[in-house]
Amino acid sequence: MHIIGGTASTALAERVSRRLSNAPFGIPFTKRFPDGEMYVRVGGRLENEDVVVVQSTRTDADLLELFLLVDAVREAGARHVTVVVPYFGYARQDRLFFPGEAVSARALCRHVELGAEAVITVDLHSPQTLQQFTKPAYEASGVPAIARLLRERPVDLLVSPDKGGIERVRRMAALLDKPWIAFEKKRIDSDHVELKLPGDLPMPLSGKHAVLVDDVITTGGTIVEAAKLLRRNGAGAVSAACTHGLFLRDAFERIKAVTDEVFSTDTLGNPAEKASVAPDIAELLLAHRPGA
Ligand code: R5P
């Protein structure tokens, strides 16, 4: 297996290669032509190789680089290509909300899989999006990576900031053998939310270390409100953990101001990256390698 790390995911791709007994790892050469168009070239011997291209698609440029990388590794003779998209952008628009819209998540699935035999991603916005791929597609979870880190912390309670995250927090709670709760969330606009504690708490919050667990932190509005609510109700310490740390604008600083610790996995490079999904991606690659 040969791992190629696109510019959006170089560090994570290298970690994946290390988890695969130091599988050959390459970084492509990229540049822009004077008119702004992108150029990529991959090195190494890829003839008849099983090649894994790792590239998160947070920006349109990341997406374009992924398309060019898949073409480049094919051209270099790759036999089997797996595309690993740790953060899968455009996944929020996963259905039609108004007539005439594009279902962006579906459109992206159709394009991302072109030229590849399989796709791996991590914590999609909605798990049903996986069914939009026509090739074999697998989803890793950020939960085990975060749980590995939380095992080193004195956690009392796990908290999902909304009901949509119940499966995630339940799974985390089972791994750590801790109680969990989920808030009621009402989104006011893209930056503001209203949250409510559930009626039946498994323990008084007073003096306890509560850890908020979410799939993605974008503007930080949800986590800031959730942390404040926990503090108002007596929590002694509040931490925030997510799989995908987008941290738009000043989100990271705003969250740091109301929490004791904030961390994410390494699906997107950011200052809160403390847990790695490399072992989980490597496990999926081994389980679904060609001929396995
Ligand atoms: C919502 O469904 C997600 O799980 C996150 O809670 C949400 O996307 C976070 O967004 P923000 O950081 O902008 O509040």
Side-chain angles (χ1 to χ4, degrees), residues 92 125 161-162 185 187 190 214-222:
R92 285 187 185 83
H125 179 67
D162 55 42
K185 172 164 122 180
R187 188 164 277 287
S190 55
D214 212 342
D215 57 340
V216 57
I217 296 178
T218 311
T219 65
T222 301

Short mmCIF file of all heavy atoms in Angstrom, two decimals, residues 92 125 161-162 185 187 190 214-222, ligand 1:
data_model
loop_
_atom_site.label_atom_id
_atom_site.label_comp_id
_atom_site.label_asym_id
_atom_site.label_seq_id
_atom_site.Cartn_x
_atom_site.Cartn_y
_atom_site.Cartn_z
N ARG A 92 -23.23 19.20 4.49
CA ARG A 92 -24.40 19.69 5.23
C ARG A 92 -25.66 19.74 4.36
O ARG A 92 -26.75 19.47 4.83
CB ARG A 92 -24.13 21.09 5.78
CG ARG A 92 -23.23 21.11 6.97
CD ARG A 92 -23.16 22.51 7.54
NE ARG A 92 -22.21 22.58 8.62
CZ ARG A 92 -20.91 22.75 8.45
NH1 ARG A 92 -20.41 22.85 7.23
NH2 ARG A 92 -20.10 22.80 9.47
N HIS A 125 -21.54 14.45 8.06
CA HIS A 125 -22.60 15.26 8.69
C HIS A 125 -23.83 14.38 8.97
O HIS A 125 -24.40 14.42 10.05
CB HIS A 125 -22.95 16.44 7.79
CG HIS A 125 -24.03 17.29 8.34
ND1 HIS A 125 -23.88 18.03 9.49
CD2 HIS A 125 -25.31 17.50 7.92
CE1 HIS A 125 -25.01 18.66 9.75
NE2 HIS A 125 -25.88 18.35 8.82
N PRO A 161 -24.35 18.50 22.84
CA PRO A 161 -25.07 19.78 22.84
C PRO A 161 -26.41 19.72 22.14
O PRO A 161 -27.18 20.68 22.19
CB PRO A 161 -24.11 20.74 22.12
CG PRO A 161 -23.19 19.87 21.35
CD PRO A 161 -23.14 18.52 22.01
N ASP A 162 -26.71 18.61 21.44
CA ASP A 162 -28.05 18.49 20.83
C ASP A 162 -28.46 17.03 20.74
O ASP A 162 -27.63 16.12 20.89
CB ASP A 162 -28.10 19.17 19.45
CG ASP A 162 -27.04 18.66 18.51
OD1 ASP A 162 -26.82 17.44 18.47
OD2 ASP A 162 -26.42 19.48 17.81
N LYS A 185 -31.58 21.66 21.67
CA LYS A 185 -30.98 22.82 20.98
C LYS A 185 -31.95 23.40 19.97
O LYS A 185 -32.58 22.66 19.21
CB LYS A 185 -29.69 22.38 20.28
CG LYS A 185 -29.08 23.43 19.37
CD LYS A 185 -27.63 23.10 19.03
CE LYS A 185 -27.41 22.98 17.55
NZ LYS A 185 -26.02 22.65 17.21
N ARG A 187 -31.75 26.24 16.93
CA ARG A 187 -30.85 27.16 16.24
C ARG A 187 -31.60 28.44 15.88
O ARG A 187 -32.66 28.39 15.25
CB ARG A 187 -30.25 26.50 14.99
CG ARG A 187 -29.17 27.35 14.36
CD ARG A 187 -28.29 26.59 13.37
NE ARG A 187 -27.20 25.84 13.98
CZ ARG A 187 -26.10 26.38 14.49
NH1 ARG A 187 -25.93 27.69 14.52
NH2 ARG A 187 -25.15 25.61 14.98
N SER A 190 -27.24 31.23 11.97
CA SER A 190 -26.03 30.40 11.82
C SER A 190 -25.02 30.63 12.95
O SER A 190 -24.15 29.79 13.18
CB SER A 190 -25.40 30.61 10.44
OG SER A 190 -25.15 31.98 10.26
N ASP A 214 -18.98 16.85 20.24
CA ASP A 214 -19.73 17.21 19.04
C ASP A 214 -19.00 16.66 17.81
O ASP A 214 -17.81 16.34 17.88
CB ASP A 214 -19.86 18.73 18.94
CG ASP A 214 -21.17 19.15 18.29
OD1 ASP A 214 -21.80 18.30 17.62
OD2 ASP A 214 -21.56 20.31 18.42
N ASP A 215 -19.71 16.57 16.68
CA ASP A 215 -19.02 16.10 15.48
C ASP A 215 -18.18 17.22 14.88
O ASP A 215 -17.06 17.00 14.44
CB ASP A 215 -20.01 15.51 14.44
CG ASP A 215 -21.09 16.49 14.03
OD1 ASP A 215 -21.35 17.47 14.76
OD2 ASP A 215 -21.70 16.29 12.97
N VAL A 216 -18.73 18.45 14.88
CA VAL A 216 -18.00 19.55 14.26
C VAL A 216 -18.20 20.82 15.07
O VAL A 216 -19.28 21.06 15.63
CB VAL A 216 -18.46 19.72 12.78
CG1 VAL A 216 -19.94 19.93 12.66
CG2 VAL A 216 -17.74 20.86 12.08
N ILE A 217 -17.14 21.61 15.18
CA ILE A 217 -17.27 22.96 15.74
C ILE A 217 -17.01 23.92 14.58
O ILE A 217 -15.96 23.89 13.95
CB ILE A 217 -16.28 23.21 16.89
CG1 ILE A 217 -16.59 22.28 18.07
CG2 ILE A 217 -16.35 24.68 17.33
CD1 ILE A 217 -15.65 22.41 19.26
N THR A 218 -18.01 24.74 14.29
CA THR A 218 -17.90 25.63 13.13
C THR A 218 -17.71 27.07 13.63
O THR A 218 -16.59 27.53 13.79
CB THR A 218 -19.15 25.47 12.24
OG1 THR A 218 -19.35 24.08 12.01
CG2 THR A 218 -18.96 26.18 10.91
N THR A 219 -18.82 27.76 13.96
CA THR A 219 -18.69 29.12 14.48
C THR A 219 -18.35 29.09 15.98
O THR A 219 -17.96 30.10 16.55
CB THR A 219 -20.01 29.90 14.33
OG1 THR A 219 -21.00 29.28 15.16
CG2 THR A 219 -20.48 29.91 12.88
N GLY A 220 -18.57 27.95 16.61
CA GLY A 220 -18.36 27.84 18.06
C GLY A 220 -19.58 28.24 18.87
O GLY A 220 -19.61 28.07 20.09
N GLY A 221 -20.62 28.76 18.19
CA GLY A 221 -21.83 29.22 18.90
C GLY A 221 -22.42 28.14 19.81
O GLY A 221 -22.78 28.41 20.96
N THR A 222 -22.52 26.92 19.30
CA THR A 222 -23.12 25.83 20.08
C THR A 222 -22.30 25.54 21.33
O THR A 222 -22.84 25.47 22.44
CB THR A 222 -23.21 24.55 19.20
OG1 THR A 222 -23.99 24.85 18.05
CG2 THR A 222 -23.81 23.39 19.96
C1 R5P B 1 -25.01 20.34 14.52
O1 R5P B 1 -25.81 19.56 14.03
C2 R5P B 1 -23.59 19.93 14.71
O2 R5P B 1 -23.49 18.73 15.43
C3 R5P B 1 -22.80 21.01 15.45
O3 R5P B 1 -23.32 21.15 16.75
C4 R5P B 1 -22.88 22.34 14.77
O4 R5P B 1 -22.67 22.22 13.39
C5 R5P B 1 -21.85 23.29 15.36
O5 R5P B 1 -21.93 24.50 14.72
P1 R5P B 1 -21.47 25.83 15.44
O6 R5P B 1 -20.07 25.63 15.95
O7 R5P B 1 -21.51 26.87 14.33
O8 R5P B 1 -22.45 26.14 16.50
#
